[in-house]
Amino acid sequence: MQINADLHLHSKYSMATSQKMNLPTMAEEAGKKGIDLVGTGDCTHPKWLQEIKKASLDDENIQINDTHFSLTTEIEDKNRVHHVLILPSISKAEELAEIIGKHGDIESDGRPSVRMDGCDIAEAARDTGALIGPSHAFTPWTAIYAAHDSLEDCYGDMTDYISFVELGLSADSDYADRIKELHRLTFLTNSDAHSPWSNKLAREFTRFEVTDISFEGIEKAILRKEGYNATLNVGFFPQEGKYNESACVSSKCLNHYNYEKASSLNWKCPCGGRIKKGVYDRVNELANFDNPQHPDYRPEYIHLIPLAEIIMKALGHSSINTKGVARAWNTLIKEFGSEIAVLVDAELEALDVDERIIDAIVAFRKGDVILHPGGGGQYGWIELPEKTVNKSQSRSVSENKSSPNGQSSLLDY
């Protein structure tokens, strides 16, 4: 069976996270999005684990309505590298909490920081039967390739136990498959969401072929056993990331540099600011291949942004919170059942909606968009093709504020 999964997000017990990140709201919003399996996040946090227990059917199964949950957590090691763990049961989450609790405070933040290195955390994962891989591997902060030049540098003798790499919002399969050591690993695309709304939760997700919705099912797919595997990665264009290109981090400058120029300046901008090495240049440093070499089992990667943002661009609105965006979003969700169904699976001729929105969805499916790369801490941005923009500009629309999901200030999480 095919399922859509978002296996990395955070609960209300993590820093800078919406208080709406509770299991019932996450389940409801996942249903609208089209996600069958959601990571609990933060499963070593004592208070969050108690809430997980209340929602559980038994030690291994957590389900609210049609949404299933997988026990997951993210841990920061002593080198500030982040790791995602997927655990088989509540009792194993308790064991993991006991192990890492000896090396750090697991109560102050849902994503604990511990005095352990990557090898130590991988050993804890092995001892509790968990799957483990590096989080958002290419970001220039708190990522494996920010602190290390290879998997072995981070995980040491436990390198062979690593089973996946989370690409994060900063990279896609083309970036990662230029690096030979990653070829054996399954790529996960997850949201790392800090709020449950549709422009955050499952903004990136992975589609799997599984035996059933369980830890064993996900384990077989990630380890590619018995013919099960990941069948689709969906995520952002890497150019949208805040650190795609090397650029000055001063908010008054943000000037972009190619690698050669930044190196000649010793990564110091003439304005006095620091030039932060971008993901694109970091991949070039690590790459074994000039062009991506995809293993036979690597699934397609589709570049998308949340449906509300596509509608906003198509209609020429300045916010996803307008009544026009909300009306179109709700109409499509009601008709097709979920956002993923609209963006990925629906036959275009079946979309009974403003033709500008259809054209915009087609543009994203084909990758026919104009990308302006981010850098220095400033997000990149996307333009629709000129023919679609002209359609939007030819019609005036009202932009009275109203949110598709009732969210307001939480949209920035």
Side-chain angles (χ1 to χ4, degrees):
M1 62 185 294
Q2 296 267 348
I3 65 167
N4 300 317
D6 180 1
L7 296 172
H8 178 191
L9 35 71
H10 291 281
S11 75
K12 60 186 178 182
Y13 294 103
S14 278
M15 292 182 181
T17 301
S18 165
Q19 288 302 299
K20 293 292 186 180
M21 285 299 268
N22 56 69
L23 292 171
T25 304
M26 291 156 66
E28 180 181 0
E29 297 304 317
K32 295 175 186 176
K33 195 77 177 190
I35 295 295
D36 306 289
L37 180 65
V38 181
T40 61
D42 304 347
C43 71
T44 60
H45 190 279
K47 290 183 179 179
W48 185 235
L49 191 54
Q50 287 303 312
E51 295 189 30
I52 292 170
K53 286 182 178 180
K54 290 179 181 179
S56 66
L57 303 177
D58 53 42
D59 189 44
E60 298 180 0
N61 297 290
I62 305 128
Q63 183 177 351
I64 298 176
N65 298 324
D66 293 329
T67 301
H68 298 254
F69 288 88
S70 179
L71 287 146
T72 63
T73 191
E74 181 181 35
I75 301 174
E76 180 178 283
D77 71 24
K78 66 181 184 181
N79 297 309
R80 299 200 65 214
V81 175
H82 289 188
H83 311 265
V84 170
L85 284 75
I86 307 169
L87 291 106
S89 65
I90 292 172
S91 57
K92 291 298 183 180
E94 291 174 325
E95 288 183 27
L96 179 65
E98 183 177 355
I99 293 170
I100 67 172
K102 298 173 183 177
H103 304 277
D105 182 2
I106 64 171
E107 297 186 16
S108 61
D109 188 1
R111 185 197 61 217
S113 297
V114 297
R115 298 179 299 276
M116 304 168 72
D117 62 19
C119 184
D120 296 330
I121 294 173
E123 287 179 350
R126 180 198 60 196
D127 292 346
T128 54
L131 301 171
I132 182 174
S135 310
H136 40 71
F138 295 93
T139 60
W141 311 103
T142 65
I144 185 171
Y145 289 125
H148 303 281
D149 290 330
S150 69
L151 292 170
E152 188 172 5
D153 285 346
C154 179
Y155 294 109
D157 293 342
M158 291 300 298
T159 300
D160 289 344
Y161 188 74
I162 307 307
S163 58
F164 64 84
V165 59
E166 181 186 73
L167 298 177
L169 308 184
S170 301
D172 60 8
S173 297
D174 281 350
Y175 275 40
D177 269 336
R178 291 182 59 203
I179 300 171
K180 186 176 182 180
E181 70 172 354
L182 299 182
H183 283 189
R184 72 173 182 85
L185 300 176
T186 293
F187 290 168
L188 298 188
T189 32
N190 299 316
S191 70
D192 196 3
H194 286 217
S195 76
W197 312 123
S198 64
N199 65 321
K200 299 302 179 187
L201 191 146
R203 56 189 168 180
E204 297 201 344
F205 69 91
T206 310
R207 181 170 288 177
F208 293 101
E209 178 71 26
V210 298
T211 52
D212 56 10
I213 306 180
S214 66
F215 175 81
E216 183 180 2
I218 286 294
E219 182 181 41
K220 286 182 179 179
I222 289 176
L223 298 180
R224 302 188 301 279
K225 292 182 176 179
E226 301 175 17
Y228 297 98
N229 58 355
T231 59
L232 181 68
N233 290 112
V234 177
F236 287 5
F237 291 94
Q239 291 86 346
E240 293 181 80
K242 291 193 292 184
Y243 298 96
N244 179 254
E245 293 188 344
S246 296
C248 177
V249 298
S250 171
S251 60
K252 296 180 180 180
C253 179
L254 297 172
N255 194 36
H256 288 219
Y257 295 89
N258 62 37
Y259 185 88
E260 290 74 18
K261 182 63 174 178
S263 296
S264 71
L265 292 170
N266 199 28
W267 299 91
K268 295 179 181 178
C269 183
C271 80
R274 181 162 59 104
I275 301 170
K276 188 65 176 175
K277 187 181 297 178
V279 173
Y280 177 80
D281 285 332
R282 181 59 173 148
V283 169
N284 282 335
E285 284 184 333
L286 297 167
N288 304 102
F289 311 106
D290 292 334
N291 297 300
Q293 303 292 315
H294 299 300
D296 291 342
Y297 64 81
R298 188 75 71 215
E300 179 184 7
Y301 191 108
I302 297 179
H303 298 96
L304 287 174
I305 62 175
L307 178 59
E309 295 182 14
I310 291 178
I311 295 171
M312 176 192 74
K313 291 179 180 293
L315 299 182
H317 290 205
S318 60
S319 168
I320 66 168
N321 294 329
T322 67
K323 288 183 178 180
V325 172
R327 188 181 305 113
W329 189 91
N330 285 318
T331 296
L332 287 168
I333 299 307
K334 183 177 180 180
E335 183 175 357
F336 291 97
S338 75
E339 184 167 317
I340 290 172
V342 174
L343 291 175
V344 178
D345 302 314
E347 297 292 337
L348 294 174
E349 55 268 23
L351 296 177
D352 185 18
V353 70
D354 191 309
E355 65 175 324
R356 294 173 293 172
I357 297 173
I358 298 174
D359 288 345
I361 292 173
V362 170
F364 273 92
R365 286 188 180 184
K366 293 182 176 180
D368 185 19
V369 295
I370 302 165
L371 301 170
H372 299 270
Q378 184 178 63
Y379 283 109
W381 54 289
I382 297 175
E383 284 185 277
L384 290 170
E386 185 177 354
K387 61 181 180 180
T388 304
V389 173
N390 288 341
K391 286 184 180 181
S392 294
Q393 293 175 341
S394 68
R395 299 168 67 175
S396 62
V397 292
S398 170
E399 295 197 5
N400 296 323
K401 296 293 183 181
S402 178
S403 165
N405 287 310
Q407 67 270 41
S408 54
S409 62
L410 302 178
L411 291 170
D412 291 332
Y413 287 162

